[in-house]
Amino acid sequence: MAPASLPKPLVRTLYRKLVRASRHGRHPEVYGMHGPAVAMAAGRGWPSNPREVTQLVRYAFENPREAPAEAADATKKGQAPPEDALWDPFAALRSANTLDVMAPGALPETLPIFDYGNMLLIPGEGNSFRFFEERYKLLCRMAMGMEDEGKAASKKGGGNGQGFFLLRAGRDEAWATLAKIVDGGESPENGEWFVRVIGGPRVTIDTEDAIEVAPHPLARATQYTLLHDEADPVDDVAGNFAADGEARYAALRRDILERLAALTDLPRVLSTSNLPPVDPEAFSFWALRFVIPPADAPARLRWLGGCHSTSERLAHVQELLQRFSEEKASREQQAQEGKEEDGAAAATGASTAPPS
């Protein structure tokens, strides 16, 4: 349903809810694929600050169009939406509620822990899991509000009911990634859980206990704290705050986006994910997903748990993108030289061929 067909009071309510869902423009990534669809239709480029994000939401409401499904299909193909299609505010709000793990508000007091070092989720990244151990099947039931501390409960009671749990690289680690189950469920055939999960911010686990489940107990964080970078987002590596930090970050962000656009079909990529975050720390993790493959657990461990400087993380991304750009240019140059050599050889062969 498009805004034009809705009562004005409802439109105002939806607008406020969508702006609040993004923490007043600081986290446009929660809009999912709806954000890129509107940005491409507006033709203003990707928003770079909270004010531009709220202007983008306002644009969507002030330029209502029908058939939002057609808009989503167009952006998936890297095309601008047709003139009669833009977005569905209800779908955008559902997306924001689903992706709230990227900018969480109130969280449960305790969270079950999944100890698994082979799959570390970068904030904003998704993956699928199959849970078959009893302790992790309990984790799913607790996360979905179906059980509390191993005791049966209704779907509306017990557990946290929002899908949240913690993904930790191992019991020796004092930090973990907040994760949320956004899709999937329990198999009626064998009780295994097949779920789609989105990663959120890092947390420090202050205290934990264990819930007895045979044959292995389930770890649970009883006290935890959201973990943010310690250094200023726009400092130098030594940790000194820069007077022109905001301008430096804006230039660095712009450079990374330009490099990504030169290396990938960025509109197509964003059409199936979300807008680039505005928050410097969130943007650094968003960009990190382009340069570190899922299977590179050591690199993920380093840049997730071992790095607490946004500027250092962004500099690493910029360095890798620079290397990728140079490698791409080298390959293109070699290919061009190969074509020229083939052409020269063909011309020489033609000039020396005996007459028929």
Side-chain angles (χ1 to χ4, degrees):
M1 185 179 293
S5 60
L6 298 175
K8 288 185 178 180
L10 180 56
V11 170
R12 286 194 294 269
T13 299
L14 284 170
Y15 171 78
R16 295 191 189 103
K17 284 183 176 293
L18 281 164
V19 170
R20 285 197 296 266
S22 69
R23 302 293 181 264
H24 297 280
R26 292 193 299 274
H27 291 279
E29 59 270 29
V30 301
Y31 297 140
M33 66 177 62
H34 304 281
V38 177
M40 291 180 66
R44 303 174 182 174
W46 313 120
S48 59
N49 56 59
R51 179 178 57 83
E52 291 180 359
V53 173
T54 55
Q55 287 176 345
L56 202 62
V57 176
R58 181 177 293 277
Y59 172 88
F61 278 91
E62 291 177 347
N63 297 270
R65 300 170 192 173
E66 304 295 338
E70 295 178 15
D73 182 65
T75 50
K76 285 181 182 178
K77 298 176 182 177
Q79 305 168 351
E83 285 301 313
D84 62 345
L86 189 50
W87 80 336
D88 179 345
F90 293 102
L93 189 57
R94 286 194 296 271
S95 174
N97 291 333
T98 298
L99 300 178
D100 62 349
V101 66
M102 298 183 190
L107 290 169
E109 292 183 3
T110 65
L111 286 172
I113 303 172
F114 177 37
D115 286 307
Y116 189 63
N118 292 331
M119 179 52 67
L120 300 175
L121 288 179
I122 296 174
E125 189 175 41
N127 214 315
S128 297
F129 290 91
R130 167 178 168 250
F131 292 111
F132 55 88
E133 289 189 46
E134 291 301 322
R135 55 179 168 172
Y136 295 134
K137 290 193 287 185
L138 172 60
L139 174 147
C140 292
R141 293 195 297 271
M142 291 176 63
M144 301 308 292
M146 298 170 66
E147 291 205 24
D148 182 16
E149 300 181 11
K151 299 179 182 178
S154 69
K155 289 187 176 181
K156 292 186 178 180
N160 64 66
Q162 299 167 276
F164 292 118
F165 67 94
L166 297 180
L167 177 60
R168 183 168 61 179
R171 289 183 176 274
D172 295 335
E173 299 292 344
W175 64 276
T177 299
L178 181 68
K180 180 180 181 179
I181 297 172
V182 298
D183 196 13
E186 184 177 9
S187 169
E189 297 178 357
N190 55 21
E192 295 182 355
W193 282 73
F194 298 86
V195 296
R196 177 72 176 170
V197 171
I198 299 292
R202 301 160 299 167
V203 304
T204 54
I205 299 174
D206 303 314
T207 60
E208 65 177 279
D209 62 8
I211 300 174
E212 291 302 322
V213 183
H216 304 291
L218 172 67
R220 177 182 58 175
T222 52
Q223 290 185 333
Y224 60 92
T225 309
L226 288 177
L227 175 62
H228 295 289
D229 287 340
E230 297 172 357
D232 184 87
V234 285
D235 68 345
D236 57 28
V237 177
N240 299 315
F241 293 167
D244 60 343
E246 186 174 346
R248 289 174 57 191
Y249 165 66
L252 183 57
R253 182 180 190 273
R254 184 167 54 251
D255 179 73
I256 288 174
L257 287 173
E258 289 175 354
R259 291 184 185 277
L260 284 172
L263 290 166
T264 67
D265 185 352
L266 195 56
R268 182 186 293 273
V269 172
L270 297 184
S271 70
T272 58
S273 55
N274 46 50
L275 285 168
V278 169
D279 175 78
E281 182 177 329
F283 179 77
S284 73
F285 282 118
W286 177 88
L288 193 68
R289 288 153 48 188
F290 286 89
V291 298
I292 297 183
D296 194 347
R300 285 169 172 255
L301 188 61
R302 175 190 176 188
W303 292 103
L304 276 169
C307 175
H308 301 285
S309 167
T310 298
S311 59
E312 185 178 349
R313 197 177 300 111
L314 287 171
H316 176 66
V317 171
Q318 189 180 42
E319 179 183 351
L320 288 180
L321 290 177
Q322 173 66 28
R323 186 191 309 169
F324 298 158
S325 298
E326 293 172 354
E327 291 172 353
K328 180 183 178 183
S330 177
R331 289 194 301 269
E332 291 175 347
Q333 181 178 354
Q334 291 174 6
Q336 180 61 33
E337 290 174 352
K339 289 180 181 179
E340 292 175 355
E341 290 175 1
D342 291 343
T348 301
S351 63
T352 59
S356 55

